[in-house]
Amino acid sequence: MNCYYSNLIEGHDTHPVDIERALRGDYSGDRNTRDLQLEARAHIDVQQWIDEGGLKARAVTADSIREIHRRFCASLPEDLLCVENRTSVCRLLQANYAPAM
């Protein structure tokens, strides 16, 4: 369960049982738990897409990074698309940067 450890590093403690439930479409009635389940599911789905050859170029190209980010964010609940600090809240946007020249 790579997503368990990856999300834990980010401070998102999704229990492996909840991840397994999410993979079966069995989401919690608790909003916070459900959001973490959706995040884990998005992580797993994008990794599966990559593993099955979904990337058309190397993973380190700007286009690939944008596509991975787009796919991941498209499956996240709105609450996880916002980043907060002590003074502000910022909505996470799809990666949008100019390719290197």
Side-chain angles (χ1 to χ4, degrees):
M1 286 215 177
N2 290 338
C3 79
Y4 169 75
Y5 294 105
S6 178
N7 292 347
L8 190 59
I9 289 167
E10 297 293 329
H12 295 176
D13 188 6
T14 311
H15 195 280
V17 169
D18 289 325
I19 295 170
E20 289 295 329
R21 288 180 179 145
L23 293 174
R24 294 191 311 266
D26 179 14
Y27 295 101
S28 174
D30 176 77
R31 181 177 172 176
N32 291 330
T33 301
R34 183 181 62 252
D35 284 355
L36 293 175
Q37 286 177 299
L38 290 166
E39 178 187 39
R41 180 67 190 254
H43 184 156
I44 291 167
D45 288 347
V46 170
Q47 185 63 55
Q48 182 176 3
W49 172 78
I50 292 168
D51 292 347
E52 292 173 352
L55 285 176
K56 301 303 179 205
R58 293 184 56 205
V60 296
T61 66
D63 286 342
S64 292
I65 292 168
R66 278 193 288 269
E67 182 60 17
I68 291 166
H69 192 259
R70 185 194 67 74
R71 286 176 177 271
F72 181 67
C73 289
S75 297
L76 292 180
E78 187 65 30
D79 285 348
L80 292 182
L81 292 173
C82 295
V83 178
E84 298 181 37
N85 66 27
R86 287 182 266 199
T87 60
S88 64
V89 176
C90 178
R91 187 175 190 287
L92 181 66
L93 301 175
Q94 181 176 336
N96 187 15
Y97 55 89
M101 299 270 190

